Amino acid sequence: MRIGVLKFQLLLFLFLSMWLKNHAQTTDTAKVVLFFPDNLNLYVSEKNRAQLDQIQLKDLLITNFKLDWSAAYGSAYPYFSRKNEYYYINLSGLNYTPRIAITNRVFQYTPASEIPELARRTSEKINIISEKIWSATQPKDFNYYSVEEKKKSPSDPSWRTGIKEIQIDCDWDQHTRTAYFQFVELLQKYFPGISINCTIRPKHYVERRKLGIPPVKRATFLYENPNRTVPELRRMFKGKPYPLPLDVLLPLWNWVQWFRNEQFLGPLPWNATSSFDPEYGNFEPGVNNQFSSIDSTGFRILRDTVVDGHFLLKNDRLVKYPTDTMAMKSFFTTLNQKNAVANRQVILIDWDVKKLKAYASFIQNIRQMLH
Amino acid sequence: MHPLYKTFAKCCISLLAVVYPYFLVNGCYEGTEYDESRIAWFNPALEAATDLEPFFYNRYYSSYDFTDLKELDYRQNCQEWIQYLGTDVKLEDVMTILYRTPKDRLIDTYADGKLGDYYADNSFIRAVLRPERSEVLSYLLLVFRAEFAHFSAKNDPWEIDEDIDYRKMILQKVVDTAEKKINSLQDSFLLQRYAYQLVVQNRYLDNYEDCQKYYRQFFAAEKKSILAPWSMIHYAYSLEQEGDTAQSSYYLSRVFDQSSSKKIRCSRIFDRKHLNATLDFAKNNHEKAVIWALQILNNNGPAQEGINTMLQLDPQCNVLLPMLIGREVNKIEDWILTPQVTFFSYNSPIFQNLNEVNSLLTADFAFFKKNQTKDRQYLRSFRTMLEQYIKGNSDAQQDFLHLAIAHLYLVEGEQAAMVEKNLAAVANRSNPKIQLQVQVERLLNLPNLMDLQSEAAKTSMVNLFSQIAALSSNIPESLRLYPKLLLYFSRLFQRKGDTVIAGLLYNRSIVVPSNTYQGSQYYLPLGYFDRYASLTDIDQLMALINKKDKNRFEMFLTEPLNNLEKTAFRVSFKYPFNLSPPAPIATYFPKDMPLPSINQLWDLKGVIAFRQNNLQVTKDAYAHIPEDYWNTNYAFKYYLRQDPFSEANLLATEGEIGEGVNKTKVLERMLAIQKEAENPGSQQAPALYLLGNVYFNTSYWGANWMMTYYGKSSSDLAYPSYQQNTLANNTESLEAYYEMSRAIACYKKALAAKPDNDLATRITYMLARCDEMRQMAKNERNRIRETVPYFSPYYQLLKDKYSKTLAFEEIIATCPLLEEHLEQGDKR
């Protein structure tokens, strides 16, 4: 485990140094953003809010919904979507960016003829949810009912005036790039004045010739696999910079790494698996025994099951991967030393009061370095 | 009355009926979920077929729509698949895919091309993935989509368009495909399956004509396949939709007779209003008997008429009749015995506080008496019917009927000889279910045959209880036969005034909810004795616990709880579809249960004596207890938290026990002060004042109330369910606790004993406070809300006579609101 942490620190350092080498360019005002992935409740208590204010964290990136393909429905559908707007409290005065996550399967299976309809539905869904969240971020004297009234006339979506960007996350591949890019272009037409920002993963960065460049004005580099090897990282940043201005998303929350036969299959959000984790208390031996603990770092799957839309098979291994703030700090120190004004940084934070507290000084440091 | 008013009145009454008990019920309750609290000592599973369990007269089953607990229909369907695919396919594998896996998961996995990988070990999937079985696979994928549409799909998964109906689209697709297939397929198995889809999905698409057409074409003559009754229920439904209720009911009765999984559904939707018209469709007496069975099922009232008709029509209706007869016996014993044993712990018509309920042991309420008379008449009538039936039918289930008759004699009471006679007629003693029932009847008959307090009766009791324990796996677990029998015997010993035995038996039956505050782990073994024991009882109990050479009965009373006594049952959900049968949950009882510890008993003895104001006995009892006992046990340190001799401090915060607030020391000082208070002199008034303070502080209103009781609730004043029902109490001790009668008496005496002005001020102040609180207690109990708050004359006295004293200034300083209060008095 110790070696694992060191390895991670080293790799992260290396990655970020290389990143800076290639991407030290001035863009928008840099900022730290709080991220709500789909498995995090948008409930912000007064205590949470006070802490946010204390560390002056004002920007939210909120996953509105997540699209997946359903063979049973025979279409794409939002298998997660935010609903309980009555819980959208204590958000007043914060800036909000909507985020939509889409699985690659959606573009694998949706026939080309249905892409326009998919874009239309997606835009409607974005309208409905964004409006609710946006109105919750308005000052308290803002009359919510006026928004409710306006909802009746779809041509006047007031929320759009307050939003600059919509982030679309999709792990597309060479077979789905055409459909995905077409979808993004169509979606952009529904939102004039708001720019669509697509996430790209390391493979999209490296294999840009094969996988294409999304037809947008800026993108966000999503670095989610901590198991990349040194040569891979070197290769990644050797060539020309990416043709789009890039933001960066770093995992500052707790992941579970998913392995099958020692092969890394991807990250799973910790929250999704925690209900089976003995440490979290609601593990009842003999009842939820899909998982067995291996040691303090993780567990093994005992029975085929589904977690967060992923099929986990018997004998798969899940290893906890806690964020190492020391490593992150050393990266930002380097950044500062090089006196580079970085891109806007988007940082993923596990929405947990205790952790937010633990990260407070860290976030402060980053902010100082960014400006 | 105008119909609208009628409806309104009905709504109001129903709402009140639902909501009012909620307001009445108060206090803490610790219980187990879904357990049957009614008395059911006649085993409903004695003779009934396994798929009839959902119809038992049992809260556990009636709370949920259990369908086919043993999955008999599902298994038959899987067997049909195995017959078709070949015997190398395992039954459990078919069950896994058809009934235990969400269908969208299967469809998605197939779409991803991973079905074979993910279900590599499943022989059913392997069989249908063979290239030559592509027709089978496409059938399965189609019906998986239909099932997904029925059970999981949303009409519009995007939730943006109200006009979209995915469910309908998918079902229509199934119908279209099936219509093509029945004209082209040669494979008779698949053809029948597609035809079944046409019956089912057309029904859900409201195409009743097509539903009926395909039923008649493919299933009217089908005898073997489970699809026959399964499609018949849809046929019945579509007949009902077209207004043919009687024929629909007839077909429902046929489905009920032929299928396990549809039994509950049929009984729920069977229309009881058209009995005669439905009977006209019946082709023979057996079919008529089944219609009668449906007519009386789900009826929780007397059903003798229906059972009698069934006996006449089809005495050989061996499957349904035993269940219905057992159900009727369970009803009768519930009506007559439950109120006496569990005191209406669930399904209570009105909240009974224990004083009232306890009186059921000795005297009857008018409504209770009336019901009992009616129920006993019904019991006799039903029993006579069974006796006549058994005489005329030598091949009927003789043992079962003799046991039912014996049980009814027992429930009726004072029929020991008839019970014995029927038990003697039971022939097959090797059947464990019958054996168990015989022993239960013997045990219940014991009090009729001999004096329970005799040694012989006690020995028989021990023997019978141990035999019943050994056989208890033969009765549904949720009924908790064994502990309920213990509770019953506790009641019997209570009637005889034997509190020690009654209390220990009660503690052994603690898993049965009995409408009694059971409280924490500390209080659990103590509660019964706190409520019922006298000082002598406590001495006897301690002697029994300490006894070295206990006899068998004493061992039986005092040994640690066995599994039947400490296990309660809880239903859990079996993902994704069914409720699993009740599973044992560990109940957390103190390890010495049923026995309280000796220290607990010394403390209880002291508490009881203290309530009786018997200070010497209290002190002697406390002398046996270690000094730090109240600091380390229960919640004593939080509610004995202030020097009880000090002035009342109502705002005392919770905290560690203060120095000297040790029950033994308090009693020592009380006794010393009591002596001073008895003799005239200058010491008398201060002594009486201090004594008054102790009585105040140990009352309901004081910070040391735990000197007197083990529990307290904010609703005690209005519903003193726990304290008032402590039988060892008398009115005097309750008045001392709630209305501070002892404190007030001491203060009055102190005032008469010529105290100095400062002390007189303090005494008057305390008298005023006690007086106003007493008034509050009375108002609360009598539900009186005063428009003008009561103002004690002692406050007037305090103001008129003592407002110039130093003590008055001190009192005002500690209680600034008092000045305002006194001014209010002036305004009146």
Side-chain angles (χ1 to χ4, degrees):
Chain A
M1 181 58 197
R2 190 81 206 122
I3 293 168
V5 170
L6 285 173
K7 184 181 149 203
F8 170 67
Q9 286 181 342
L10 187 72
L11 283 176
L12 196 69
F13 186 82
L14 195 70
F15 154 61
L16 291 163
S17 314
M18 287 188 282
W19 173 269
L20 287 168
K21 201 173 142 194
N22 289 298
H23 298 277
Q25 49 184 295
T26 310
T27 59
D28 293 352
T29 317
K31 58 190 173 187
V32 178
V33 175
L34 182 66
F35 174 53
F36 282 84
D38 57 285
N39 52 13
L40 279 186
N41 197 333
L42 190 47
Y43 175 73
V44 176
S45 70
E46 275 180 28
K47 197 174 163 188
N48 297 153
R49 180 58 199 265
Q51 283 193 328
L52 283 183
D53 290 345
Q54 203 183 352
I55 56 172
Q56 294 168 338
L57 224 158
K58 279 189 178 162
D59 298 283
L60 310 176
L61 175 65
I62 297 170
T63 307
N64 274 12
F65 56 94
K66 201 164 176 177
L67 292 180
D68 192 10
W69 169 263
S70 159
Y73 279 122
S75 74
Y77 81 115
Y79 84 84
F80 159 82
S81 103
R82 295 213 180 267
K83 274 192 187 109
N84 301 322
E85 63 261 36
Y86 302 107
Y87 291 106
Y88 300 166
I89 51 169
N90 299 319
L91 298 177
S92 165
L94 299 175
N95 304 319
Y96 152 59
T97 305
R99 178 179 198 258
I100 318 304
I102 310 177
T103 61
N104 190 33
R105 297 192 333 150
V106 168
F107 298 104
Q108 213 174 321
Y109 293 118
T110 306
S113 59
E114 286 177 22
I115 295 290
E117 175 61 10
L118 179 67
R120 184 191 72 80
R121 283 166 176 256
T122 307
S123 74
E124 276 197 34
K125 195 87 186 153
I126 292 174
N127 272 333
I128 292 169
I129 299 175
S130 300
E131 190 170 317
K132 284 174 186 163
I133 300 178
W134 175 79
S135 51
T137 63
Q138 293 311 294
K140 272 179 189 163
D141 56 349
F142 176 81
N143 185 356
Y144 181 77
Y145 295 100
S146 66
V147 178
E148 288 288 299
E149 283 301 311
K150 280 173 192 165
K151 225 191 286 181
K152 288 171 193 161
S153 54
S155 56
D156 181 22
S158 46
W159 66 274
R160 293 184 184 186
T161 56
I163 285 177
K164 292 192 182 102
E165 195 172 90
I166 296 170
Q167 191 183 88
I168 306 291
D169 174 52
C170 178
D171 185 7
W172 82 92
D173 61 27
Q174 65 190 105
H175 306 291
T176 55
R177 63 178 266 190
T178 318
Y180 177 53
F181 291 173
Q182 188 202 351
F183 168 82
V184 170
E185 274 172 351
L186 287 168
L187 193 66
Q188 179 67 76
K189 285 183 188 153
Y190 284 101
F191 298 103
I194 300 176
S195 62
I196 304 272
N197 181 326
C198 291
T199 56
I200 61 163
R201 285 165 171 71
K203 69 171 182 199
H204 300 124
Y205 186 97
V206 177
E207 301 169 49
R208 64 189 78 151
R209 198 172 293 250
K210 193 167 87 185
L211 298 174
I213 315 287
V216 288
K217 291 201 178 104
R218 56 189 299 134
T220 301
F221 185 83
L222 175 62
Y223 178 74
E224 62 174 9
N225 180 357
N227 275 40
R228 290 199 163 267
T229 58
V230 177
E232 261 183 304
L233 283 170
R234 280 213 183 106
R235 261 202 310 279
M236 200 188 302
F237 297 112
K238 216 174 181 180
K240 283 183 186 168
Y242 204 70
L244 293 174
L246 287 182
D247 300 329
V248 61
L249 276 98
L250 293 170
L252 188 56
W253 79 69
N254 292 317
W255 287 104
V256 169
Q257 297 173 42
W258 176 22
F259 294 95
R260 181 171 301 156
N261 301 327
E262 298 313 312
Q263 189 196 343
F264 178 73
L265 294 185
L268 294 175
W270 193 316
N271 303 44
T273 58
S274 65
S275 61
F276 306 104
D277 187 345
E279 261 184 36
Y280 278 75
N282 42 5
F283 177 83
E284 277 185 62
V287 179
N288 291 328
N289 54 359
Q290 286 100 323
F291 292 75
S292 80
S293 188
I294 325 173
D295 50 38
S296 60
T297 63
F299 26 98
R300 190 176 289 283
I301 311 294
L302 295 179
R303 210 167 68 200
D304 297 0
T305 187
V306 178
V307 165
D308 198 37
H310 303 277
F311 292 98
L312 306 189
L313 292 191
K314 191 177 161 184
N315 288 330
D316 283 359
R317 203 158 54 85
L318 299 182
V319 180
K320 287 180 200 169
Y321 165 58
T323 301
D324 189 328
T325 50
M326 285 304 289
M328 298 291 282
K329 247 184 192 169
S330 66
F331 151 56
F332 281 106
T333 312
T334 320
L335 185 100
N336 206 27
Q337 282 166 355
K338 296 202 171 196
N339 200 21
V341 180
N343 301 310
R344 183 181 64 169
Q345 309 294 328
V346 180
I347 299 199
L348 318 184
I349 296 175
D350 189 4
W351 183 239
D352 180 315
V353 180
K354 282 178 206 155
K355 283 174 196 155
L356 194 61
K357 213 170 180 178
Y359 291 142
S361 66
F362 169 64
I363 291 169
Q364 205 52 41
N365 288 349
I366 296 166
R367 195 178 284 118
Q368 283 163 7
M369 290 174 208
L370 286 173
H371 286 285
Chain B
M1 203 191 273
H2 190 279
L4 187 67
Y5 291 127
K6 250 188 196 171
T7 316
F8 182 69
K10 268 185 202 165
C11 289
C12 289
I13 291 165
S14 320
L15 190 70
L16 266 180
V18 172
V19 176
Y20 191 55
Y22 170 78
F23 290 120
L24 289 175
V25 175
N26 62 82
C28 314
Y29 173 70
E30 213 174 85
T32 46
E33 300 162 81
Y34 314 117
D35 258 338
E36 181 54 80
S37 63
R38 293 175 292 205
I39 293 304
W41 288 327
F42 187 73
N43 188 355
L46 191 59
E47 198 71 37
T50 50
D51 63 342
L52 293 173
E53 278 179 19
F55 298 99
F56 289 172
Y57 185 69
N58 186 323
R59 182 170 183 267
Y60 163 61
Y61 295 113
S62 54
S63 304
Y64 291 99
D65 282 351
F66 283 105
T67 49
D68 204 7
L69 281 169
K70 304 280 186 298
E71 299 177 319
L72 300 175
D73 278 9
Y74 292 170
R75 284 170 193 280
Q76 189 187 332
N77 186 32
C78 294
Q79 280 298 352
E80 290 179 20
W81 274 99
I82 292 170
Q83 229 168 357
Y84 171 66
L85 291 172
T87 45
D88 52 337
V89 175
K90 288 185 211 132
L91 181 80
E92 274 315 308
D93 289 347
V94 193
M95 288 289 285
T96 303
I97 299 301
L98 294 190
Y99 299 113
R100 311 205 203 288
T101 312
K103 296 301 171 282
D104 50 337
R105 191 192 297 182
L106 290 167
I107 300 166
D108 280 357
T109 316
Y110 175 75
D112 283 346
K114 290 171 183 166
L115 195 61
D117 292 346
Y118 282 173
Y119 296 97
D121 296 339
N122 189 296
S123 55
F124 181 61
I125 290 291
R126 277 205 311 269
V128 299
L129 280 178
R130 282 189 213 146
E132 68 272 21
R133 296 249 167 80
S134 63
E135 273 294 348
V136 182
L137 183 64
S138 47
Y139 167 77
L140 282 173
L141 289 170
L142 190 70
V143 295
F144 288 167
R145 281 190 79 172
E147 274 195 37
F148 169 73
H150 278 299
F151 300 113
S152 315
K154 293 174 183 166
N155 277 345
D156 172 21
W158 287 77
E159 293 172 319
I160 54 175
D161 198 342
E162 286 172 5
D163 301 332
I164 291 179
D165 193 339
Y166 266 96
R167 187 172 150 270
K168 219 167 184 174
M169 279 161 55
I170 292 178
L171 297 190
Q172 192 57 54
K173 194 171 173 187
V174 176
V175 168
D176 294 346
T177 316
E179 277 176 344
K180 279 180 210 148
K181 292 286 182 184
I182 56 166
N183 292 320
S184 61
L185 274 176
Q186 300 299 315
D187 183 329
S188 64
F189 178 85
L190 279 185
L191 195 140
Q192 192 184 40
R193 299 267 145 181
Y194 274 113
Y196 174 65
Q197 291 304 322
L198 284 172
V199 176
V200 178
Q201 312 310 351
N202 271 316
R203 173 239 162 132
Y204 287 110
L205 290 169
D206 304 340
N207 302 331
Y208 303 120
E209 253 178 51
D210 285 352
C211 168
Q212 291 171 25
K213 180 180 90 186
Y214 289 118
Y215 173 79
R216 290 195 193 105
Q217 186 181 343
F218 289 96
F219 296 102
E222 172 63 49
K223 298 278 180 234
K224 275 189 197 160
S225 172
I226 191 66
L227 298 185
W230 281 0
S231 54
M232 199 192 287
I233 194 169
H234 300 286
Y235 179 62
Y237 181 87
S238 67
L239 288 172
E240 162 70 32
Q241 289 303 303
E242 294 188 338
D244 195 349
T245 309
Q247 193 176 182
S248 164
S249 297
Y250 165 72
Y251 278 106
L252 286 176
S253 78
R254 297 318 307 133
V255 180
F256 178 86
D257 201 22
Q258 293 167 22
S259 141
S260 293
S261 61
K262 306 290 180 197
K263 273 192 166 60
I264 280 272
R265 183 74 192 138
C266 290
S267 79
R268 295 269 154 90
I269 58 176
F270 179 85
D271 194 329
R272 289 171 179 76
K273 284 178 225 141
H274 302 88
L275 177 65
N276 290 333
T278 309
L279 285 168
D280 287 346
F281 284 99
K283 295 185 181 70
N284 53 44
N285 278 354
H286 170 73
E287 290 191 359
K288 281 185 185 164
V290 175
I291 291 170
W292 266 102
L294 271 169
Q295 183 74 10
I296 56 179
L297 270 176
N298 287 337
N299 168 16
N300 287 345
Q304 190 185 340
E305 187 204 351
I307 295 175
N308 201 17
T309 315
M310 285 178 73
L311 287 172
Q312 310 298 328
L313 282 168
D314 183 17
Q316 304 308 316
C317 192
N318 290 347
V319 181
L320 287 171
L321 269 171
M323 182 272 286
L324 288 165
I325 291 170
R327 187 180 152 82
E328 214 57 15
V329 174
N330 285 152
K331 282 183 202 170
I332 293 169
E333 63 177 330
D334 170 39
W335 300 336
I336 295 175
L337 291 178
T338 302
Q340 297 177 63
V341 183
T342 66
F343 297 164
F344 297 120
S345 67
Y346 284 144
N347 311 324
S348 159
I350 50 165
F351 179 72
Q352 313 272 337
N353 80 34
L354 279 176
N355 250 2
E356 289 169 334
V357 177
N358 280 336
S359 65
L360 286 175
L361 292 169
T362 49
D364 291 338
F365 288 123
F367 79 85
F368 184 61
K369 208 168 185 175
K370 194 176 149 197
N371 286 346
Q372 289 269 308
T373 314
K374 223 168 88 186
D375 296 340
R376 277 165 204 280
Q377 271 169 6
Y378 179 65
L379 177 150
R380 281 190 283 272
S381 153
F382 188 72
R383 192 195 61 220
T384 313
M385 184 194 83
L386 291 185
E387 284 173 329
Q388 281 165 357
Y389 172 60
I390 202 171
K391 267 184 209 156
N393 292 278
S394 56
D395 53 348
Q397 291 108 329
Q398 293 277 333
D399 288 350
F400 165 75
L401 287 169
H402 277 300
L403 282 168
I405 293 165
H407 196 72
L408 289 172
Y409 273 118
L410 256 173
V411 175
E412 190 181 357
E414 294 171 9
Q415 294 277 9
M418 292 309 288
V419 175
E420 288 299 311
K421 190 182 154 197
N422 275 288
L423 287 183
V426 175
N428 178 12
R429 301 294 173 101
S430 58
N431 177 341
K433 280 186 188 172
I434 292 196
Q435 233 178 65
L436 170 66
Q437 199 58 47
V438 170
Q439 307 298 17
V440 171
E441 306 303 331
R442 289 231 164 100
L443 178 68
L444 291 170
N445 208 20
L446 202 61
N448 300 328
L449 296 173
M450 50 178 104
D451 176 13
L452 266 190
Q453 284 173 303
S454 70
E455 285 311 311
K458 286 175 182 172
T459 312
S460 303
M461 247 181 86
V462 177
N463 289 337
L464 286 164
F465 266 111
S466 82
Q467 286 167 28
I468 289 167
L471 290 164
S472 63
S473 61
N474 294 294
I475 188 164
E477 285 167 321
S478 71
L479 292 172
R480 286 187 294 174
L481 168 86
Y482 185 84
K484 274 182 205 158
L485 285 169
L486 285 168
L487 182 62
Y488 179 59
F489 275 80
S490 161
R491 305 299 190 208
L492 295 178
F493 277 97
Q494 188 173 335
R495 267 188 225 184
K496 300 232 173 219
D498 196 331
T499 308
V500 174
I501 295 179
L504 291 172
L505 289 173
Y506 181 92
N507 281 358
R508 304 199 75 89
S509 66
I510 206 79
V511 292
V512 182
S514 48
N515 204 14
T516 302
Y517 177 69
Q518 296 182 331
S520 66
Q521 287 229 351
Y522 182 91
Y523 189 68
L524 204 62
L526 208 60
Y528 186 91
F529 301 105
D530 179 33
R531 291 191 296 278
Y532 298 105
S534 65
L535 294 173
T536 331
D537 291 333
I538 305 277
D539 290 338
Q540 281 175 5
L541 178 59
M542 283 198 271
L544 175 63
I545 293 173
N546 288 330
K547 192 176 169 185
K548 288 274 182 282
D549 48 343
K550 297 185 179 78
N551 62 31
R552 270 192 74 201
F553 184 68
E554 288 162 345
M555 289 291 287
F556 165 73
L557 290 177
T558 54
E559 66 196 3
L561 299 185
N562 63 36
N563 275 341
L564 291 166
E565 291 162 338
K566 66 182 173 191
T567 313
F569 295 88
R570 184 175 66 180
V571 176
S572 56
F573 288 91
K574 190 168 72 179
Y575 180 80
F577 297 117
N578 292 324
L579 286 163
S580 63
I585 51 166
T587 42
Y588 301 99
F589 296 132
K591 70 175 170 28
D592 292 334
M593 198 70 190
L595 304 179
S597 72
I598 294 293
N599 279 338
Q600 274 181 296
L601 287 173
W602 281 122
D603 181 66
L604 176 62
K605 190 177 175 186
V607 165
I608 292 172
F610 188 74
R611 285 176 201 154
Q612 295 166 354
N613 206 16
N614 195 339
L615 300 185
Q616 189 59 49
V617 174
T618 311
K619 196 205 104 179
D620 292 347
Y622 289 157
H624 292 91
I625 299 178
E627 210 168 293
D628 66 342
Y629 184 77
W630 293 284
N631 241 330
T632 50
N633 282 287
Y634 196 39
F636 291 119
K637 62 183 172 187
Y638 301 110
Y639 302 108
L640 299 173
R641 58 175 182 258
Q642 158 189 311
D643 173 12
F645 295 91
S646 70
E647 266 172 51
N649 178 7
L650 292 180
L651 302 173
T653 48
E654 289 188 4
E656 291 296 305
I657 191 165
E659 201 184 333
V661 188
N662 164 308
K663 286 191 181 185
T664 318
K665 287 181 182 159
V666 171
L667 262 295
E668 279 167 3
R669 196 171 163 202
M670 268 185 95
L671 280 166
I673 292 173
Q674 202 179 31
K675 270 187 195 147
E676 289 177 16
E678 278 163 7
N679 302 317
S682 61
Q683 87 297 340
Q684 195 185 23
L688 281 163
Y689 171 67
L690 287 180
L691 217 48
N693 284 350
V694 181
Y695 285 128
F696 177 86
N697 283 320
T698 56
S699 77
Y700 173 83
W701 305 91
N704 298 338
W705 59 268
M706 212 173 250
M707 287 284 287
T708 325
Y709 284 100
Y710 289 94
K712 177 179 162 178
S713 149
S714 55
S715 62
D716 276 353
L717 286 176
Y719 310 99
S721 52
Y722 154 55
Q723 287 84 353
Q724 202 179 49
N725 295 300
T726 309
L727 289 192
N729 285 318
N730 48 33
T731 321
E732 202 262 321
S733 61
L734 279 175
E735 275 180 14
Y737 185 63
Y738 288 109
E739 297 176 14
M740 297 152 288
S741 58
R742 284 179 199 149
I744 290 174
C746 284
Y747 289 138
K748 279 184 179 169
K749 270 191 211 165
L751 206 57
K754 295 178 185 158
D756 62 34
N757 260 1
D758 262 2
L759 185 57
T761 310
R762 290 182 196 284
I763 294 168
T764 314
Y765 171 58
M766 283 311 293
L767 267 172
R769 285 182 72 166
C770 289
D771 191 28
E772 288 200 349
M773 284 167 178
R774 180 167 63 168
Q775 189 63 28
M776 207 192 292
K778 281 182 177 169
N779 289 346
E780 194 73 28
R781 176 141 336 143
N782 300 319
R783 321 274 202 279
I784 293 171
R785 184 160 292 175
E786 288 176 327
T787 42
V788 183
Y790 175 71
F791 185 76
S792 172
Y794 288 107
Y795 273 130
Q796 199 58 48
L797 179 68
L798 187 70
K799 200 179 172 194
D800 295 347
K801 203 170 168 188
Y802 301 113
S803 59
K804 300 278 185 293
T805 60
L806 197 63
F808 184 80
E809 271 174 37
E810 273 178 33
I811 289 168
I812 292 287
T814 46
C815 179
L817 288 177
L818 184 62
E819 222 163 359
E820 203 183 313
H821 188 59
L822 292 176
E823 276 168 24
Q824 276 173 4
D826 284 346
K827 285 174 196 161
R828 259 172 258 169

